[in-house]
Amino acid sequence: MLLAECLELLAVKPGGFYVDGTLGLGGHAEEILRRCAPDGTLLGADRDAEALARAGERLRPFGARARLVHADFRALPALLAEEGRHPQGVLLDLGVSSWQLDDPARGFSFRADSPLDMRMDRSGGPTAADLVNRLPERALADLIYRFGEERASRKVAREVVAARRRQRIETTGQLAALVRRVVRSRPGFDPATRTFQALRIAVNAELDGLGPALAGLAGRLAAGGRLAVVAFHSLEDREVKQAFRALAGRGFTLLTRKPVRPSAAEVARNPRARSARLRGLERAAA
């Protein structure tokens, strides 16, 4: 999403070294590699091993110019420091990708009845089902309110806890049905949306350490290097905005006073793009 806008903000140049810390299926990385040809390089990272494998196939034609690692973007500042590398540009496209949402086996969406998983990295860690079935009622309500901004969080938690006493909640369909019983619906918005967002954020610790990671990545930029971040919900975007503002004037310049939003044409092609917000930061030239 926001492909053209991200590339314009990064100002990719031939021969540069770039980082895509949320590789996904490699669409942004592919275009960066094209623009930094003939000898520019890219380090791509993703916490989702399946995404990494798919991106690897897509980027195979670029050979050694593309190096991929299975890692969360929050590990990249330490990796770059260990290697002594300073990229000309870093891109983060936060949140869950469309292909993850569309894969019923991943359990991110309530459009199909599927296992309640939601892990981006399926090599370990608790699933959404684990949280829904184990958390005390108050803790579950607080999680749904904090990460989903769901005003009816206590009603949702009460309904979930009552239901799990009868039967373990295993699928997205079960959970969505419970939420719909107690949250008022409105046209064009499924009542389960906020609860699912909250669980996804919690399962993947999406906001944990986001601000420090952004500061760390900014600190590894080469002189004149740029950091571009796409966020998809208000909690995430707020963290990005605060991190960038804290760096502004301390050797960094904000490139976006207000977030860049997708064009009407892009939203028409892909309605999921409507919530995307792009912000950019530039390190001072030497």
Side-chain angles (χ1 to χ4, degrees), residues 264-275:
E266 180 171 5
V267 173
R269 291 193 306 271
N270 179 11
R272 287 173 179 162
R274 66 183 179 274
S275 60

Side-chain angles (χ1 to χ4, degrees), residues 47-261:
R47 65 197 299 188
D48 188 324
E50 185 177 342
L52 202 66
R54 293 189 182 192
E57 289 300 315
R58 182 174 193 162
L59 303 179
R60 189 181 300 277
F62 297 98
R65 291 179 55 214
R67 174 189 166 205
L68 309 186
V69 295
H70 183 206
D72 188 291
F73 70 85
R74 283 164 282 208
L76 292 178
L79 176 62
L80 291 168
E82 181 181 339
E83 297 181 354
R85 305 198 73 185
H86 298 276
Q88 277 71 47
V90 176
L91 173 65
L92 298 180
D93 188 354
L94 303 173
V96 64
S97 65
S98 290
W99 77 269
Q100 289 170 323
L101 285 170
D102 292 336
D103 182 355
R106 305 303 296 267
F108 287 107
S109 174
F110 42 74
R111 294 184 179 183
D113 192 22
S114 56
L116 194 56
D117 192 323
M118 298 195 191
R119 291 173 299 170
M120 293 182 187
D121 182 353
R122 293 197 283 183
S123 64
T127 66
D130 292 331
L131 297 185
V132 163
N133 288 286
R134 295 177 186 173
L135 284 178
E137 182 178 326
R138 181 168 181 175
L140 182 59
D142 289 347
L143 183 156
I144 295 169
Y145 182 79
R146 179 186 176 194
F147 295 139
E149 299 179 294
E150 173 57 75
R151 294 182 180 180
S153 62
R154 298 201 180 282
K155 291 182 180 179
V156 172
R158 191 178 307 121
E159 186 74 13
V160 166
V161 170
R164 77 190 190 192
R165 291 195 184 106
R166 299 187 295 271
Q167 179 185 15
R168 180 176 167 85
I169 301 166
E170 297 280 7
T171 71
T172 58
Q174 285 177 281
L175 179 60
L178 292 171
V179 178
R180 290 169 187 148
R181 288 180 193 170
V182 295
V183 178
R184 184 180 303 173
S185 62
R186 67 175 193 264
F189 187 82
D190 193 290
T193 300
R194 292 194 180 97
T195 295
F196 271 67
Q197 173 184 297
L199 287 167
R200 191 202 79 219
I201 291 173
V203 165
N204 297 291
E206 291 180 28
L207 299 179
D208 290 3
L210 176 55
L214 294 175
L217 286 167
R220 295 307 305 172
L221 288 171
R226 294 184 169 193
L227 171 60
V229 183
V230 181
F232 287 89
H233 56 77
S234 59
L235 297 174
E236 201 170 58
D237 183 56
R238 190 179 307 145
E239 290 280 335
V240 178
K241 179 172 65 174
Q242 290 174 350
F244 280 13
R245 285 184 174 177
L247 291 166
R250 299 169 55 191
F252 296 90
T253 302
L254 292 176
L255 297 173
T256 49
R257 292 292 173 182
K258 293 183 178 179
V260 176
R261 306 299 295 267

